[in-house]
Amino acid sequence: MYRKSIAMDVSKNEEVRDIANLTINDLSSVRKEGMLTKLSGGKHAMMKNWRKRWCVCTNEGVYYFHEATEKCKGFIPFAQYRNASLAGDDHKKPNCFKLFAKNSPSLRQYVFVAESDVEMKSWMDILNKVLGDRDVLMNSFRRVTHTFRNTFLTTADDSARRIFRSLYVNVAEARDVRTEKHSGVPLNVYAVVDIASYQFRTRTKKKTIEPFWGEDFSVDLDPSVALPNIRVALWNEDKRIGRTLLGQVTIPISSLGAESSQQWHPVMPPGQEDSVYIAGDVHLKIVSRPQQKLLAVRVLDARNLPQRNKDGSGADPYLEIAFQGTVKKTKVIKQNLNPVWNEEFLFHYHDAPESFTVKCYDWDLLREHDYMGQFEVHLKDIKPEVPNDLRFILAPPSSAGPDPASASGEGGKSPSQSNSNSRGNLRLTLKYTEDVILPAGSYNNMFRFLSLPEGIEMVKAMSGVISSSEDRVDLADAFVHSYEAGAGAEQLFEGLMDLEINSTEDPRVIFRGNSLGTKGLDLYMKLVGSTYLSYVLAPFVSQVYAQKKSCEVDPTQLEPGEEVEKNVARLMQLVQQVVDTIFKSADMCPSSLRAIFKHIQMLINKKWPEDDKAKYSAVSGFIFLRFFCAAILSPKLFDLAPDHPDAAVSRTLKLVAKTVQNLANLVVFEAKEPHLKVMNTLLESNMDRMKTFLDTISSSKQSKQSYSLSPESHKRAQLGGAASGGFEGLIGSTPMLPFTQIPDRELACIHRHLIKNKDKLTSTFPPKIFPWCVHTLAMLDDLEMSNLIIALNTKSSHALDVSSLPVRESSIITLPKSQYQLNLTTASYDRT
């Protein structure tokens, strides 16, 4: 059947209305059709009118036709929209609903009015069902093809190595935020992170000079172009004068090391960013003895200095202390971004100076030493006769100042900061990762090894040796994607939950920490449950955003004219509404999550059979604390809303989330929060329903609606039993998945962490005692050998030092423990 094609200019988010000849009979896959009243005029139109349109919902989108002529007037593509829900009070029409766009303010949000309440609900159910089915299909497609992210930006040759770059940014907090003319005045502050073509915005923190965000952002970077800069700008949001740029921090990604960097950065006024990147802080211990006219300065260390050496080896820093015309220098610490000096300098004086200056330089043998920043120490801020333990931020000359937190942990701020022309200080955590992916097929053995009992033991061992929280998240994400693409994430979490529960003595603190297991399940719930979450909570969140009605129940925070009784009733209605929706969705919970929760309850009952609440709190700690309630508190981070909520809506969502979480914990409010004790009646009346919900999602009963991102056609690896004869014998002739389904990027990440923690792993789990460790080391040997051969294949000849390689038979080549010369032309090895 012929149907005229409909072109979409996605880059401009506008419809190209080449649909004049389209008729209703041309449409296929029709899910629903009927008369609706549509708000016309477009997003930016001056005049908007309500017009009746015959609307047809298909799998691709909604077509709407003229009521009399049946001429097609337009098309709404589902690819750009996420859900349909109540339109709120903005349009003041009954039976009014809206199609919400996917996190793009430039996209039009379509508003419709149905002829009755029943018809409105029918349209919303059909639209949400089709949108949900599309999300499952698209996410399944992404799971199959996600290993090709950025691949063809580097090479189209599967025999070559590829590079994947990623950047993690945590915008933590700011201190002493100020405008050009005023300091100490509370502001409404938010941060905008710019990285190449990506832009992220934090929520606005109201009436403060010390905003705290703690928001994370991650991006994949194009490996075919030069590394960009990170630009973080602070803005003030004022209803009278609009938005004002306070200042910004600019950081070259090339200056970041392999480890995560957490430090304070001076916020420079617009247009005054220094051309040379300066970062880091210096730790001093200062003793002033005015009666003896003596100043003792002990230089302890510095941290988080930027890269300066062109060979990537870090920097060669030293310090200069300038005191009343006398300059003293520390020794040079070679190739170190966190140098330790521990040197003491004495300065005698006749008249006490107001301050002295400390400058940092990168030493060079043949050229001028590179400037790395400075700071000024004001003696009036130094307490006499006692050690002053302080850290100072390195900054350009006009903005140098002390760290907002002293080294002693008191969190104090020096008054001398008011002399700086910076607009405050911003604390960021940054981590740049560059993974080298080996060619197609290199990770086959590793992929199969993970699904064997030995692989699960290796994962559990890594849980104990990973100490960095960033590494834990990185590794958890890699394991989750690798197991989901292979033997199934249920197998991964059975092992990790066993480890977590067996190592916990008190059921009241189960799953409270950020272990590899808890972080992994946190990520997995978002991976397979995002569409389920949107189906359950998106309409509720949209309603709260649209109503903007106060639910404040704390008498000390009421606005003038508010009545606490009305707010309590409104809050109760919202809480009951959202818990009813959650309880009704139990049969829709993804089957893979239900299997994991069932295993958790089984382990809890086995270890603490006498504790009636433990099995419920263990499951609710995931599905509510880390999923439902977290999404209610931060809907934008879970893709439930296009923007962060304003202060009033945020307060409402916080009260709802707090009440729902108490219900999930099966506890009532007590004296700690007396204003919320009015919610206890609602909590007590719903506790049995909560237990039923938690038991239902912890059963093996098949979900009525699966929201798992894994497609039905996705075949898992059929893994055979372990055999003898080394690593190759262990995995035997196990069938292999097609290359497109092997998550090579995640496997490369696991490989990187195994190499990084190899010594710690083997010392904690000696191979002679733990057989799985032998297989792990053999697997790493195979990967390292593959990497070596590929590197050699990029040159015509190369001297190969194999003295550090293990003596063992490899499936690639045999290398004795000696020196070899490789001739790539004849592919032969000659003993030197």
Side-chain angles (χ1 to χ4, degrees):
M1 178 172 57
Y2 169 78
R3 188 195 319 174
K4 190 172 180 66
S5 63
I6 299 173
M8 296 299 301
D9 185 354
V10 179
S11 63
K12 297 182 179 178
N13 294 322
E14 296 175 352
E15 299 173 26
V16 180
R17 298 176 181 267
D18 186 19
I19 50 178
N21 299 325
L22 190 68
T23 67
I24 296 175
N25 293 330
D26 292 332
L27 301 179
S28 61
S29 304
V30 175
R31 306 296 292 271
K32 182 177 176 62
E33 57 182 300
M35 189 65 70
L36 293 172
T37 303
K38 173 180 164 292
L39 182 61
S40 64
K43 180 178 176 67
H44 302 291
M46 297 296 294
M47 298 293 295
K48 296 189 177 184
N49 300 298
W50 293 94
R51 300 185 187 277
K52 285 194 173 183
R53 294 285 184 253
W54 187 262
C55 298
V56 182
C57 174
T58 70
N59 289 335
E60 296 80 27
V62 175
Y63 299 84
Y64 49 94
F65 296 81
H66 193 278
E67 179 183 9
T69 65
E70 295 189 357
K71 181 179 180 181
C72 188
K73 302 294 291 182
F75 171 65
I76 307 170
F78 282 154
Q80 301 172 355
Y81 291 84
R82 57 184 172 88
N83 72 289
S85 61
L86 296 174
D89 298 334
D90 294 347
H91 302 286
K92 299 181 180 179
K93 283 184 175 289
N95 311 321
C96 188
F97 65 97
K98 183 187 295 188
L99 265 178
F100 286 88
K102 288 183 177 178
N103 283 0
S104 177
S106 62
L107 278 178
R108 175 181 176 185
Q109 294 182 350
Y110 287 88
V111 183
F112 299 92
V113 173
E115 295 179 350
S116 66
D117 180 66
V118 173
E119 187 68 7
M120 178 191 69
K121 291 179 179 177
S122 175
W123 271 101
M124 288 197 301
D125 287 344
I126 289 293
L127 290 169
N128 285 322
K129 177 67 167 61
V130 177
L131 287 165
D133 290 344
R134 282 182 58 85
D135 281 347
V136 172
L137 180 63
M138 291 306 296
N139 284 326
S140 299
F141 175 75
R142 293 187 191 107
R143 284 294 302 122
V144 172
T145 61
H146 81 284
T147 57
F148 290 99
R149 298 189 297 252
N150 297 333
T151 298
F152 296 104
L153 296 175
T154 51
T155 178
D157 182 4
D158 288 344
S159 65
R161 293 183 295 181
R162 291 158 289 143
I163 295 176
F164 287 100
R165 295 171 171 175
S166 60
L167 179 69
Y168 165 83
V169 179
N170 176 273
V171 183
E173 62 180 315
R175 296 280 181 91
D176 295 323
V177 179
R178 62 181 73 90
T179 64
E180 180 181 3
K181 297 180 179 179
H182 302 97
S183 61
V185 178
L187 304 171
N188 303 321
V189 189
Y190 66 91
V192 175
V193 181
D194 277 299
I195 307 163
S197 59
Y198 300 94
Q199 187 176 89
F200 308 94
R201 174 184 162 164
T202 68
R203 68 190 68 191
T204 302
K205 294 299 180 179
K206 303 282 187 177
K207 300 178 181 179
T208 180
I209 62 171
E210 297 185 352
F212 179 86
W213 296 285
E215 295 188 31
D216 300 328
F217 309 99
S218 297
V219 297
D220 290 334
L221 302 172
D222 186 345
S224 66
V225 299
L227 288 172
N229 292 338
I230 306 166
R231 178 179 177 271
V232 185
L234 295 188
W235 291 79
N236 177 39
E237 201 168 34
D238 193 300
K239 291 183 178 180
R240 295 176 298 127
I241 61 175
R243 299 174 180 178
T244 306
L245 177 61
L246 300 173
Q248 58 197 33
V249 174
T250 302
I251 304 166
I253 296 179
S254 58
S255 68
L256 301 178
E259 300 298 323
S260 63
S261 166
Q262 180 184 127
Q263 64 186 92
W264 290 90
H265 301 266
V267 180
M268 302 305 298
Q272 295 188 26
E273 306 94 316
D274 199 83
S275 59
V276 178
Y277 173 58
I278 292 173
D281 55 66
V282 176
H283 187 187
L284 301 182
K285 185 172 288 188
I286 304 172
V287 179
S288 174
R289 304 189 185 279
Q291 294 183 352
Q292 303 175 23
K293 297 186 180 298
L294 177 67
L295 184 74
V297 179
R298 177 172 287 277
V299 180
L300 297 174
D301 58 75
R303 61 186 181 186
N304 301 319
L305 299 179
Q307 292 271 0
R308 280 293 187 266
N309 294 345
K310 293 183 178 181
D311 61 359
S313 60
D316 308 318
Y318 70 93
L319 298 182
E320 279 188 0
I321 304 175
F323 184 92
Q324 281 192 333
T326 301
V327 177
K328 296 186 178 183
K329 299 180 181 180
T330 67
K331 60 187 176 184
V332 177
I333 305 295
K334 292 293 188 71
Q335 299 180 357
N336 200 321
L337 301 179
N338 298 282
V340 176
W341 289 285
N342 200 26
E343 297 183 49
E344 185 168 303
F345 302 94
L346 298 178
F347 297 94
H348 297 272
Y349 56 88
H350 297 290
D351 298 318
E354 293 184 356
S355 63
F356 65 91
T357 302
V358 179
K359 296 182 180 180
C360 183
Y361 291 93
D362 171 45
W363 178 88
D364 283 299
L365 178 63
L366 300 176
R367 56 189 177 89
E368 186 178 353
H369 300 179
D370 296 326
Y371 174 76
M372 298 183 71
Q374 67 184 66
F375 57 88
E376 194 169 8
V377 181
H378 294 265
L379 293 187
K380 63 183 179 62
D381 301 327
I382 304 300
K383 297 177 182 179
E385 307 297 338
V386 296
N388 293 260
D389 199 359
L390 300 167
R391 280 196 178 274
F392 295 84
I393 294 178
L394 288 166
S398 59
S399 61
D403 193 320
S406 68
S408 59
E410 297 173 357
K413 296 177 287 294
S414 170
S416 65
Q417 269 201 336
S418 60
N419 296 329
S420 168
N421 77 335
S422 72
R423 301 291 174 80
N425 292 286
L426 179 66
R427 184 162 66 90
L428 301 172
T429 299
L430 306 171
K431 183 178 182 181
Y432 169 68
T433 304
E434 191 170 282
D435 281 323
V436 177
I437 315 297
L438 298 179
S442 299
Y443 298 103
N444 286 5
N445 288 343
M446 184 185 204
F447 187 57
R448 289 179 284 185
F449 173 69
L450 287 177
S451 298
L452 298 175
E454 290 81 359
I456 293 294
E457 291 301 316
M458 180 270 290
V459 173
K460 292 162 67 174
M462 286 295 288
S463 178
V465 301
I466 294 291
S467 56
S468 163
S469 59
E470 291 86 5
D471 285 351
R472 195 175 295 117
V473 173
D474 195 28
L475 194 57
D477 182 75
F479 278 136
V480 163
H481 281 86
S482 298
Y483 275 91
E484 179 67 0
E490 297 93 330
Q491 181 177 347
L492 168 69
F493 289 112
E494 283 181 7
L496 288 175
M497 295 302 106
D498 288 347
L499 176 67
E500 188 88 12
I501 292 171
N502 290 332
S503 61
T504 304
E505 297 301 325
D506 188 350
R508 293 173 297 178
V509 297
I510 190 70
F511 302 134
R512 296 295 181 184
N514 286 324
S515 64
L516 189 66
T518 57
K519 290 305 299 182
L521 189 47
D522 188 5
L523 294 168
Y524 186 63
M525 286 191 297
K526 295 176 184 177
L527 177 69
V528 302
S530 59
T531 306
Y532 167 60
L533 182 71
S534 180
Y535 183 85
V536 174
L537 290 183
F540 172 78
V541 170
S542 299
Q543 175 188 339
V544 176
Y545 268 58
Q547 288 180 348
K548 298 182 179 180
K549 293 180 180 179
S550 174
C551 293
E552 186 55 71
V553 294
D554 187 349
T556 64
Q557 298 191 39
L558 290 176
E559 296 290 337
E562 281 193 80
E563 298 181 24
V564 69
E565 293 80 9
K566 291 184 178 180
N567 289 355
V568 169
R570 197 175 292 122
L571 179 61
M572 280 194 169
Q573 181 181 2
L574 288 176
V575 173
Q576 191 63 60
Q577 176 186 339
V578 75
V579 297
D580 285 345
T581 305
I582 291 173
F583 292 160
K584 290 176 183 177
S585 74
D587 289 335
M588 300 179 185
C589 182
S591 301
S592 55
L593 290 181
R594 296 171 70 142
I596 295 169
F597 295 150
K598 179 183 179 181
H599 186 72
I600 289 174
Q601 279 204 344
M602 182 268 292
L603 293 174
I604 294 290
N605 286 332
K606 184 177 179 181
K607 183 162 186 177
W608 296 290
E610 72 288 347
D611 195 320
D612 295 332
K613 284 188 176 182
K615 70 172 185 176
Y616 296 116
S617 60
V619 175
S620 69
F622 285 110
I623 195 68
F624 280 95
L625 181 64
R626 291 177 164 89
F627 196 55
F628 285 132
C629 292
I632 294 172
L633 278 172
S634 304
K636 184 179 187 298
L637 301 183
F638 285 79
D639 202 25
L640 298 178
D643 300 300
H644 289 299
D646 60 28
V649 173
S650 179
R651 177 61 177 169
T652 297
L653 294 174
K654 182 177 181 180
L655 292 171
V656 170
K658 186 174 289 190
T659 307
V660 173
Q661 187 59 55
N662 261 36
L663 177 59
N665 294 339
L666 304 177
V667 297
V668 296
F669 290 104
E670 297 180 347
K672 184 179 179 181
E673 295 176 295
H675 56 280
L676 285 173
K677 292 174 73 174
V678 294
M679 305 299 293
N680 286 346
T681 303
L682 183 148
L683 295 177
E684 291 168 347
S685 65
N686 284 281
M687 283 189 180
D688 287 340
R689 296 178 68 200
M690 174 61 73
K691 292 179 181 179
T692 301
F693 172 78
L694 294 173
D695 282 334
T696 302
I697 65 170
S698 303
S699 68
S700 57
K701 180 182 176 182
Q702 182 66 30
S703 297
K704 290 182 179 179
Q705 175 68 48
S706 175
Y707 288 98
S708 173
L709 296 186
S710 300
E712 293 180 0
S713 60
H714 186 138
K715 296 181 180 178
R716 302 200 185 278
Q718 302 298 317
L719 300 170
S724 60
F727 183 63
E728 291 294 333
L730 175 71
I731 61 175
S733 57
T734 301
M736 197 61 240
L737 282 175
F739 170 64
T740 54
Q741 297 185 23
I742 296 179
D744 52 357
R745 183 178 182 182
E746 282 74 17
L747 292 168
C749 174
I750 296 171
H751 179 206
R752 169 166 50 86
H753 283 288
L754 284 171
I755 294 297
K756 179 180 177 181
N757 294 278
K758 183 177 178 181
D759 292 341
K760 190 185 298 185
L761 199 65
T762 52
S763 62
T764 309
F765 303 94
K768 291 183 179 180
I769 303 176
F770 298 92
W772 62 263
C773 195
V774 177
H775 299 304
T776 301
L777 295 176
M779 176 189 68
L780 292 180
D781 291 345
D782 276 350
L783 285 171
E784 289 304 295
M785 196 67 68
S786 298
N787 194 15
L788 184 63
I789 297 301
I790 295 160
L792 293 176
N793 278 325
T794 61
K795 298 182 180 181
S796 59
S797 62
H798 190 87
L800 172 62
D801 181 7
V802 297
S803 59
S804 61
L805 295 177
V807 180
R808 64 185 254 348
E809 292 293 323
S810 170
S811 58
I812 303 173
I813 55 175
T814 302
L815 291 175
K817 196 172 185 179
S818 60
Q819 190 78 14
Y820 272 70
Q821 183 75 27
L822 173 65
N823 187 321
L824 293 174
T825 305
T826 61
S828 62
Y829 294 83
D830 301 316
R831 184 183 297 273
T832 302

